[in-house]
Amino acid sequence: QVQLVESGGDLVQAGGSLRLSCAASGSIRNIDVMAWYRQAPGKQRDFVASITRNGRINYADSVKGRFTISADNPMRHIFLQMNSLELEDTGVYVCNALRVTLTTWQRYIEVNGQGTLVTVSS
């Protein structure tokens, strides 16, 4: 079984910074992609950033230049450094893992964490 646990969400003023963390646990052989999504109140879940096993990184246009995603190697933890936070960054940030292979060779197509709340105030 695979579990993703996020941490680091908090209340922060606009212009401030936060660092989110996500830890993957279980008998993991490898994870192909890990990502952050966020869901604002009353809105759909939106992509924020992703990183692959090979280090390929993608960002949503709305966070480019402000957010930085990183991971350890092998990829079991990912981080999201968020700078210059804006009111629109408020939401529940969910950690996501795609194509997870366990040491038993059991595979999960997608796993999501419970999320961590980021609230940006004016």
Side-chain angles (χ1 to χ4, degrees):
Q1 197 162 1
V2 178
Q3 189 174 18
L4 301 178
V5 178
E6 304 94 334
S7 61
D10 205 345
L11 171 65
V12 62
Q13 283 193 325
S17 298
L18 275 179
R19 180 177 169 87
L20 304 183
S21 301
C22 172
S25 62
S27 300
I28 299 170
R29 183 178 297 274
N30 55 60
I31 303 173
D32 280 357
V33 185
M34 293 188 76
W36 289 99
Y37 287 79
R38 68 185 177 195
Q39 187 163 17
K43 296 188 177 180
Q44 66 180 19
R45 192 175 82 161
D46 291 329
F47 169 78
V48 175
S50 65
I51 184 167
T52 71
R53 288 172 63 188
N54 298 322
R56 182 173 181 174
I57 290 173
N58 280 305
Y59 294 103
D61 288 343
S62 61
V63 306
K64 282 180 181 177
R66 299 188 298 121
F67 290 10
T68 302
I69 189 171
S70 60
D72 59 357
N73 186 18
M75 192 161 64
R76 300 292 183 269
H77 297 82
I78 61 168
F79 309 94
L80 188 67
Q81 178 65 42
M82 306 188 294
N83 299 327
S84 303
L85 283 161
E86 302 171 353
L87 298 179
E88 294 74 20
D89 295 321
T90 293
V92 176
Y93 283 69
V94 177
C95 180
N96 170 275
L98 294 179
R99 299 187 293 280
V100 181
T101 303
L102 302 186
T103 54
T104 59
W105 293 104
Q106 181 180 0
R107 290 172 178 164
Y108 293 82
I109 295 175
E110 183 174 8
V111 182
N112 290 291
Q114 293 297 309
T116 186
L117 177 62
V118 173
T119 304
V120 183
S121 65
S122 58

